[in-house]
């Protein structure tokens, strides 16, 4: 019986839509994973960042480091928020 159900699902008329939605969910989960890893990295290195960057004289390299470090976090978070807020198109190719 399980084999019959699988064969019916594989030729379902909405299989393109199901495949598209599966990829969309996978994309969202991978994005959340990327944000989680980046936030984790920020947290575990915060003490070193404070010691070596924030408590010392600001140089061009320190400013560049901070811009790159926090711009990446900001960009990833914004992209993930947008991917959940902006509705997907109904068209499936």
């Amino acid at each position: 019986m399980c084999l019959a159900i699988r064969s019916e699902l594989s030729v379902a008329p909405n299989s393109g839509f199901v495949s598209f939605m599966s990829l969309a969910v996978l994309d969202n989960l991978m994005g959340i994973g990327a944000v989680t890893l980046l936030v984790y990295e920020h947290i575990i290195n915060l003490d070193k960042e404070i010691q070596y960057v924030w408590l010392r004289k600001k140089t061009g390299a320190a400013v560049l480091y901070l811009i790159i470090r926090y711009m990446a976090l900001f960009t990833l978070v914004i992209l993930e928020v947008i991917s959940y807020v902006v509705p997907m198109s109904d068209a499936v190719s």
Side-chain angles (χ1 to χ4, degrees):
M1 177 162 181
C2 190
L3 181 60
I5 293 172
R6 284 187 184 172
S7 65
E8 287 176 20
L9 288 177
S10 65
V11 293
N14 293 344
S15 63
F17 178 72
V18 171
S19 176
F20 173 75
M21 290 306 295
S22 296
L23 289 175
V25 168
L26 180 62
D27 182 57
N28 285 339
L29 291 175
M30 289 176 63
I32 290 170
V35 171
T36 303
L37 285 174
L38 191 59
V39 168
Y40 175 72
E41 191 269 335
H42 276 258
I43 290 170
I44 63 174
N45 290 318
L46 186 60
D47 58 337
K48 293 175 187 154
E49 180 182 326
I50 291 171
Q51 179 183 1
Y52 295 120
V53 178
W54 291 104
L55 296 179
R56 294 189 179 195
K57 178 183 167 193
K58 300 299 178 268
T59 63
V63 171
L64 184 61
Y65 168 80
L66 292 171
I67 289 171
I68 292 171
R69 182 168 172 85
Y70 288 99
M71 187 60 73
L73 179 64
F74 177 75
T75 303
L76 266 178
V77 169
I78 292 298
L79 287 174
E80 282 307 304
V81 168
I82 288 172
S83 74
Y84 281 102
V85 173
V86 176
M88 289 188 274
S89 171
D90 290 338
V92 176
S93 56

